[in-house]
Amino acid sequence: MKNLTLENITKVCNGIYHGPQEKLQEEVTAITTDSRKVEKGGLFVPVVGERVDAHRFIPQVMEAGALATLSERTLEGADHPYIQVGSSLQAVKDIAEFYLEQLDIPVVGITGSVGKTSTKEVIASVLKEKYRTLKTQGNFNNELGLPLTVFRLRDEDEIAVLEMGISDFGEMTRLAKIAKPDTCVITNIGTCHLENLGDRDGVLKAKTEIFQYVKKNIVLNGDDDKLSTVKEYNGMQPVFFGNGENASVTCENVESRGLKGMSCDICLKGKMAENGELQTFHVDIPMPGRHMVYNALAAIAICRHFKVDEEAIKKALLQAKVKGRIEMIKVSDQFTLLIDYAHNAMALESLLTTLREYEPHRLVSLFGCGGNRSRQRRFEMGEVSGRLADLTIITSDNPRFEEPQDIINDIKTGMAKTDGKYVEIPDRKEAIAYAIHHGEPGDIIVLAGKGHEDYQEIKGKKYPMDERVLIREILEEDQKA
């Protein structure tokens, strides 16, 4: 990893080096917080979690071939190099900031209340037509996930697309200080994390902290009533996408092709157009919902900053897929089963509203809520599903350190504000089986909340759980019955 010698790492994180002096000029080959994934010549970062202190894994990672480890304490009798730091979490952020500066790779920073991941995937899909592109994987978008994503970058990469998620004031400042985006995009301002941010004005203030470190371009959803008020910042005039008068990237003739996706005519104005005036072209987007059109508009705005041309954009959008976003799983010719990551009220409402447009016989919503997170989110999601779905199947998501039934009870509190019908089945596999076995002709059944995730977090441990695998198991069990 470029310039990540033990000497530089020690300086960057203000640490104290313990070990042979001749090792100081060696570069680490990788950096990880997962003791199971340590590479020969790599650096291990032991993080102290709620239940597990990863310092206990230091002996085994060194035995596995790590070059060195960080440590928040003195390692008595250590016969290997280590760097003593005040905080592993702070050190990993400091190292990531330094490493990204060494690579001099353009960065696209993506944030917003909903649609971050879908927008990231579409942007990366388009940029790949011209550049070697690295993107955030899964939900590695916080103060630990972002540095770990940065550590995946190598000299040969040409651009980084980084998702940035927050829940409180100051977090975006810390993330943006690491990423220092050349270009940023904010998808929208919603009602997530109001327990910390107060109201949508608070969300706007927290999200726009990213501007402090943006180098060149700000791209915003011009149809969002909060973002549309944003003016020039440090000499940068925002580029808006949407359907308003202020938008430089807009669309018309939007058509739904059902669950096969959307189509529309893109209109680029001013500096967004290749001719500097007005440019129009037709695109097909193989993902349903008007929100996917907005994701495409954001991607086009970003990619025009990087001189991706019309043909590359059209080709990339036609091939774009987002795992766990209105992802169709074939189980029956009689009804449609979908998987989607919608895990807050704003995303769930957008999803269910989109699916309502296809006039199903019944719209069935299956979801749970995460433990050790805002209870308000549970109330809101219950109310949204009760209002928009014909049947809600309330189940478990990632209960973490809470009891699943307590979370379900909170969801039912929101449901009680509506006339919506529901059943509660705490075991997620049993809930999915119920949905499949009770599917009726013409139904659309959506499994919401997990999407691309392949685990369930219970009492501090992540257990393998991929809904695609669960569905396959259910169908196999049905065949044997």
Side-chain angles (χ1 to χ4, degrees):
M1 298 177 72
K2 187 175 182 180
N3 291 338
L4 280 190
T5 62
L6 294 184
E7 181 176 39
N8 283 339
I9 291 171
T10 302
K11 290 178 181 177
V12 165
C13 56
N14 201 24
I16 301 171
Y17 176 73
H18 300 264
Q21 293 300 301
E22 61 268 22
K23 294 281 187 180
L24 277 170
Q25 299 309 314
E26 292 191 30
E27 290 184 351
V28 300
T29 57
I31 300 177
T32 184
T33 57
D34 189 335
S35 61
R36 299 162 298 181
K37 296 180 180 178
V38 69
E39 293 183 18
K40 184 175 176 61
L43 176 72
F44 177 58
V45 181
V47 175
V48 180
E50 292 180 353
R51 299 284 169 147
V52 177
D53 181 350
H55 285 78
R56 66 191 248 197
F57 302 123
I58 288 176
Q60 72 186 56
V61 299
M62 297 309 303
E63 196 171 310
L67 173 62
T69 179
L70 299 187
S71 176
E72 293 181 1
R73 61 200 63 142
T74 302
L75 301 179
E76 299 293 344
D79 59 355
H80 55 77
Y82 74 95
I83 300 168
Q84 191 170 348
V85 296
S87 163
S88 292
L89 283 173
Q90 184 58 49
V92 86
K93 289 184 283 188
D94 293 338
I95 298 167
E97 180 182 353
F98 172 79
Y99 180 55
L100 198 49
E101 290 171 352
Q102 308 311 298
L103 296 177
D104 194 28
I105 292 173
V107 171
V108 176
I110 303 169
T111 191
S113 293
V114 296
K116 292 186 295 294
T117 301
S118 297
T119 303
K120 171 203 71 182
E121 293 292 336
V122 177
I123 289 173
S125 178
V126 178
L127 286 174
K128 281 179 182 176
E129 290 296 310
K130 186 172 181 179
Y131 304 99
R132 180 182 168 113
T133 305
L134 182 135
K135 65 182 180 182
T136 301
Q137 290 184 337
N139 54 0
F140 275 56
N141 61 7
N142 59 20
E143 292 187 59
L144 179 58
L146 179 67
L148 293 177
T149 300
V150 168
F151 295 145
R152 291 173 43 229
L153 285 164
R154 294 297 181 267
D155 268 338
E156 55 267 29
D157 291 313
E158 297 176 297
I159 196 163
V161 180
L162 304 180
E163 181 179 334
M164 303 162 76
I166 64 164
S167 60
D168 208 345
F169 295 109
E171 287 183 70
M172 183 59 73
T173 297
R174 295 190 290 273
L175 292 174
K177 183 175 183 291
I178 297 169
K180 296 184 176 66
D182 292 77
T183 300
C184 79
V185 59
I186 304 181
T187 59
N188 45 53
I189 299 298
T191 56
C192 303
H193 308 299
L194 296 189
E195 66 274 16
N196 296 325
L197 302 177
D199 54 21
R200 289 183 65 225
D201 287 324
V203 177
L204 176 68
K205 181 179 179 182
K207 295 290 186 185
T208 54
E209 289 176 9
I210 194 173
F211 294 167
Q212 301 170 68
Y213 290 96
V214 175
K215 298 175 183 176
K216 296 179 180 178
N217 307 299
I218 295 171
V219 176
L220 305 174
N221 182 346
D223 291 348
D224 184 285
D225 63 322
K226 297 297 183 183
L227 291 174
S228 63
T229 65
V230 175
K231 308 299 182 185
E232 171 266 351
Y233 187 90
N234 278 354
M236 293 178 286
Q237 290 289 344
V239 169
F240 292 102
F241 62 90
N243 291 310
E245 292 183 1
N246 62 350
S248 302
V249 180
T250 185
C251 63
E252 55 189 25
N253 302 322
V254 178
E255 293 183 7
S256 169
R257 294 180 288 120
L259 291 174
K260 293 182 180 179
M262 308 292 290
S263 64
C264 64
D265 295 326
I266 299 296
C267 302
L268 304 180
K269 304 173 185 177
K271 67 178 182 179
M272 289 288 100
E274 290 178 25
N275 60 11
E277 296 179 4
L278 178 65
Q279 178 182 0
T280 63
F281 54 93
H282 183 82
V283 297
D284 292 312
I285 306 165
M287 294 167 284
R290 290 190 68 90
H291 60 288
M292 284 300 177
V293 176
Y294 277 93
N295 294 342
L297 292 177
I300 292 167
I302 291 290
C303 293
R304 286 300 300 133
H305 281 301
F306 291 96
K307 307 303 180 186
V308 181
D309 63 28
E310 173 185 323
E311 290 305 312
I313 289 171
K314 291 164 66 174
K315 177 184 175 184
L317 288 179
L318 189 59
Q319 299 171 345
K321 295 287 184 183
V322 183
K323 184 179 180 182
R325 297 305 192 279
I326 314 187
E327 179 182 345
M328 197 178 308
I329 307 294
K330 178 75 172 183
V331 298
S332 170
D333 293 326
Q334 300 297 308
F335 58 84
T336 301
L337 181 67
L338 305 168
I339 291 176
D340 194 271
Y341 185 54
H343 63 291
N344 60 49
M346 189 175 177
L348 186 63
E349 182 161 15
S350 175
L351 170 67
L352 296 181
T353 300
T354 293
L355 298 179
R356 268 272 167 232
E357 294 176 1
Y358 306 128
E359 299 181 353
H361 168 62
R362 293 187 310 167
L363 179 55
V364 180
S365 166
L366 180 152
F367 76 96
C369 289
N372 302 106
R373 298 293 187 269
S374 169
R375 293 182 68 199
Q376 186 63 31
R377 177 180 294 191
R378 305 168 193 175
F379 305 148
E380 292 172 352
M381 290 184 72
E383 185 173 356
V384 166
S385 190
R387 176 164 45 85
L388 294 174
D390 296 293
L391 173 66
T392 299
I393 303 172
I394 308 173
T395 187
S396 186
D397 192 291
N398 293 319
R400 298 186 177 89
F401 295 102
E402 285 194 67
E403 290 302 318
Q405 190 60 51
D406 292 340
I407 299 171
I408 289 172
N409 290 341
D410 282 343
I411 296 171
K412 287 161 59 179
T413 298
M415 289 286 305
K417 296 180 180 180
T418 74
D419 296 324
K421 298 178 181 178
Y422 70 89
V423 295
E424 55 180 288
I425 306 174
D427 183 279
R428 198 167 183 102
K429 181 177 179 181
E430 291 179 10
I432 294 171
Y434 178 91
I436 293 172
H437 296 153
H438 290 80
E440 297 178 5
D443 281 356
I444 294 180
I445 302 169
V446 59
L447 315 182
K450 298 299 288 180
H452 59 273
E453 289 184 353
D454 58 3
Y455 64 86
Q456 186 173 42
E457 187 176 347
I458 303 172
K459 303 295 184 186
K461 184 174 181 180
K462 291 182 177 180
Y463 297 88
M465 194 193 76
D466 186 321
E467 289 186 318
R468 300 153 197 78
V469 174
L470 295 184
I471 292 166
R472 186 167 63 246
E473 291 175 351
I474 289 165
L475 297 179
E476 290 172 353
E477 290 164 7
D478 288 348
Q479 285 183 334
K480 295 175 181 178

